[in-house]
Amino acid sequence: MRAVGYRQSLPITDDAALQDIDLPRPVPAGRDLLVQVRAVSVNPVDTKVRKRAQPEGDAWAVLGWDASGVVVEVGPEATRFRPGDEVFYAGALNRPGTNAEFHLVDERIVGHKPRTLNHAAAAAIPLTAITAWETLFDRLDVRRPVPGAPRAILVIGGAGGVGSIAIQLARRLTDLTVIATASRPETRQWALDLGAHHVVDHRKPLAAEVAALALGAPGFVFCTTNTDQHFAEIAALIAPQGRFALIDDPAALDILPLKRKSVSTHWEFMFTRPVFGTADIAEQGALLDEVARLIDAGTLRSTLAEEFGPISAANLRRAHALIESGTAKGKIVLEGFGA
């Protein structure tokens, strides 16, 4: 089967950073589904793994943690899906990725593809939807008020992949006032179009930007990027007894400034359930089914922003480069493997 992989962790400007390769077609076991991949999207985790995880020996590493496709075979213990079903999912960090014609995935972390979306639009959704949903409802528990604080959330990095879904979930499924950050006219408008009530500039001091809205100190802050750069402002602007969540990888983070306000800190890593096989691993499949229902009902929309053509090494290198530039908006999707 055709795939895209790498053997060395190299800068994305190097043609060998990602290469077109041929690999054996995998065989499903246990609760696996074998999915024919129709479309994938690219996330920051793809670039992080490529730069940090060197394959052993002459093995190929295949990236990719978002896919939409069709089930072609099922393992002997699989019960939720059958061949011909259209699915979407984000996979697992400890298994080969989705940048391949055929891919194995545990059925418990798979959702039924939204009927109203094509494969490209569906592939933009899973990883960011799981991350945003788990952050808002499992980690921050935003439906539980912070005493004395306005019902408001600040989403830092509102135009990114995760921020784009978090804005929609918070606006459509809660009574929160949604404040997003963006720094360019096009990303500001993107956040507003997704449902943000207010957009502030994260290139300016955020505490002053939020205070100028005259809403009061928000009880919730969700930082999707550059947490170390924004942390002092977060500590200043969040309400006492507020709840703070982050998903990025700061080299170091001293959370002592949050002590005086008794602010709780919550990490979200959407691969925790599949990597550790947690007792509630099936919550991810159920979550994606609910997201699909909300999309089909018109409550949520896909965050697909750019299509980069078929799944190939050259197109994936372009996508990685755009993500590494820090200027990507929404999600980048690649569809099919060409002729």
Side-chain angles (χ1 to χ4, degrees), residues 175-198:
D175 62 352
L176 293 168
T177 296
V178 182
I179 310 162
T181 79
S183 60
R184 292 175 284 141
E186 62 269 28
T187 53
R188 176 185 176 85
Q189 190 59 52
W190 175 267
L192 289 169
D193 290 345
L194 290 171
H197 293 92
H198 306 280

Side-chain angles (χ1 to χ4, degrees), residues 207-330:
E209 288 279 290
V210 172
L213 299 175
L215 300 171
F220 306 103
V221 175
F222 178 14
C223 192
T224 70
T225 185
N226 295 321
T227 297
D228 48 356
Q229 296 177 28
H230 299 301
F231 189 70
E233 294 293 314
I234 292 168
L237 69 86
I238 195 168
Q241 302 187 90
R243 299 195 282 278
F244 162 61
L246 67 159
I247 61 171
D248 61 329
D249 305 295
L253 189 66
D254 178 8
I255 64 172
L256 188 59
L258 300 180
K259 178 180 178 179
R260 184 167 176 267
K261 290 184 176 179
S262 296
V263 170
S264 58
T265 302
H266 305 263
W267 284 98
E268 162 58 21
F269 187 55
M270 66 130 291
F271 294 116
T272 296
R273 281 168 163 155
V275 166
F276 291 97
T278 59
D280 63 350
I281 185 175
E283 288 296 314
Q284 288 198 344
L287 186 165
L288 287 175
D289 278 346
E290 177 61 9
V291 168
R293 186 191 70 78
L294 292 167
I295 289 171
D296 289 338
T299 305
L300 302 177
R301 76 180 218 198
S302 174
T303 54
L304 187 159
E306 296 192 66
E307 295 188 58
F308 271 28
I311 302 165
S312 69
N315 288 338
L316 281 167
R317 287 195 298 270
R318 284 201 300 133
H320 279 232
L322 180 55
I323 287 177
E324 289 178 12
S325 75
T327 62
K329 176 186 70 176

Side-chain angles (χ1 to χ4, degrees), residues 8 12 19 64 68 77 80 102 149 151-152 163 177 199 228 271 298:
Q8 290 180 281
I12 201 58
Q19 302 180 54
S68 181
E77 299 172 23
R80 294 187 62 229
F102 297 93
R151 295 286 295 154
T177 296
V199 179
D228 48 356
F271 294 116

